[in-house]
Amino acid sequence: MHTKNIHKNGYDLEVLSINNPNLKPFVILKNDKQTIDFSNPKAVRELNRALLKTYYNIAFWQFPEQNLTPAIPSRAEYIHLINDLIQTSKITEKVNVLDIGTGANCIYPLLGQAIYNWIFTATDVCNTSLKYAKSIIAKNKLNRQISILKQNNRSSIFKGILDADSKFTVAMCNPPFYKNETEANQATLQKQIGLKQPANSVSRNFAGQATELWYNGGEKAFLHNFLYESSLFKTQCSWYTILVSNKANLKSMYASLEKLEAKQIKTLPIQIGNKKSRVVAWTFLEIN
């Protein structure tokens, strides 16, 4: 993990249980160490609430159980990588971030404002997700730091959000990974088998709704739509970034970005435990 990621040394479940007593019933002993059952979505959610309250001053984090519950350490990792990108680019103005597909949990704006005091604009296509994101923002008194925009066209990403006068330091996105519900369910069942859990039914420890998990054409289609639309607004964001789950998509992304005349392209690695991922970043501007 990133050296600045506060979760790099694991969890202090005793402290976390004090800050969120609802976590305590889910704490178990395994190999003489305290842990939780990470296959249990309720346990994961209470752990995340404890982490947000303990380390990020987020006291309220409520949304429907069927919505995606993100892993806090990996989301914080993306935030720290963006900060490295900003620092190496010698960008000195106030950081203004565009979060595409913020979801009901609004996690990237919450972490980014808590860690680095960034300003965020968060977008989503789902009215219900935006309703809960707005509630989280308001109840944590973050209306000055985080604003919400509705994307009214489900086939668009930046169109309808950005215009000629828009100005952001960075755009970021955690995209849908799957083509459809069937593919998402198959991936979950494989994970359950790997964890030696019953695979006769699907139980996602992180939950997730359709707009959060799948996209027509899958991750690759979303990535290339994201790339193309970014090229329509070359000066509106200093950097465009997106999380890429499937390493096989990198080659076509680089080829497309070169055709779209990106000035710089970077792949920023993420590793949380045994899971490897990466953020791809690009700019159409002349940045050092």
Side-chain angles (χ1 to χ4, degrees), residues 30 43 65 130 134-135 151 167 191 216 225 230:
K30 187 175 182 180
E65 290 186 1
L130 292 176
K134 287 178 181 178
S135 176
Q151 172 54 270
K167 186 66 177 177
K191 182 179 179 181
N216 187 24
N225 193 17
S230 74

Side-chain angles (χ1 to χ4, degrees), residues 38-287:
F38 284 94
S39 68
N40 184 334
K42 292 183 179 179
V44 172
R45 183 167 291 214
E46 294 304 337
L47 172 64
N48 285 346
R49 287 195 179 112
L51 292 171
L52 288 171
K53 184 176 181 181
T54 302
Y55 299 111
Y56 303 103
N57 197 33
I58 303 300
F60 178 88
W61 198 59
Q62 302 281 352
F63 50 90
E65 290 186 1
Q66 62 266 31
N67 282 95
L68 184 69
T69 300
I72 303 300
S74 63
R75 285 0 184 227
E77 196 78 356
Y78 192 169
I79 295 292
H80 289 303
L81 289 176
I82 286 180
N83 185 63
D84 288 347
L85 187 67
I86 292 168
Q87 295 299 314
T88 56
S89 301
K90 299 179 181 178
I91 296 172
T92 57
E93 66 265 21
K94 181 69 175 178
V95 175
N96 190 4
V97 182
L98 177 63
D99 178 28
I100 299 294
T102 198
N105 58 71
C106 197
I107 193 62
Y108 287 123
L110 295 178
L111 295 178
Q113 65 79 32
I115 301 170
Y116 292 113
N117 196 31
W118 293 341
I119 300 298
F120 276 82
T121 298
T123 77
D124 208 285
V125 299
C126 177
N127 285 323
T128 301
S129 291
L130 292 176
K131 171 187 171 183
Y132 284 96
K134 287 178 181 178
S135 176
I136 291 169
I137 292 165
K139 292 192 177 182
N140 288 291
K141 299 180 180 179
L142 294 171
N143 293 90
R144 291 186 177 181
Q145 293 92 336
I146 305 169
S147 59
I148 293 287
L149 282 180
K150 169 77 186 300
Q151 172 54 270
N152 291 306
N153 188 341
R154 287 178 176 266
S155 64
S156 296
I157 296 174
F158 296 110
K159 289 186 287 187
I161 296 296
L162 295 177
D163 58 33
D165 297 323
S166 300
K167 186 66 177 177
F168 289 93
T169 313
V170 178
M172 66 184 303
C173 180
N174 190 9
F177 294 147
Y178 307 110
K179 294 180 181 179
N180 48 46
E181 184 175 11
T182 299
E183 187 175 84
N185 288 343
Q186 288 173 344
T188 299
L189 289 172
Q190 287 299 314
K191 182 179 179 181
Q192 288 174 208
I193 292 169
L195 294 172
K196 298 180 180 180
Q197 296 166 359
N200 56 335
S201 65
V202 175
S203 177
R204 298 190 194 97
N205 61 341
F206 51 82
Q209 293 285 78
T211 55
E212 298 170 320
L213 296 180
W214 55 86
Y215 180 83
N216 187 24
E219 181 186 51
K220 185 174 183 178
F222 186 95
L223 292 172
H224 283 274
N225 193 17
F226 193 98
L227 304 185
Y228 168 69
E229 287 202 19
S230 74
S231 73
L232 304 178
F233 302 97
K234 292 184 176 181
T235 63
Q236 278 78 357
C237 292
S238 296
W239 284 98
Y240 287 93
T241 74
I242 192 166
L243 188 70
V244 180
S245 176
N246 189 346
K247 186 179 179 180
N249 289 326
L250 293 179
K251 184 177 180 180
S252 64
M253 288 182 69
Y254 268 68
S256 292
L257 284 168
E258 287 171 4
K259 289 180 181 178
L260 294 170
E261 300 181 339
K263 300 295 185 183
Q264 289 187 59
I265 312 169
K266 298 184 178 185
T267 298
L268 313 173
I270 294 178
Q271 181 163 352
I272 307 293
N274 294 323
K275 184 178 179 181
K276 293 182 180 180
S277 187
R278 71 282 310 153
V279 169
V280 176
W282 62 96
T283 182
F284 298 102
L285 306 177
E286 295 291 347
I287 296 177

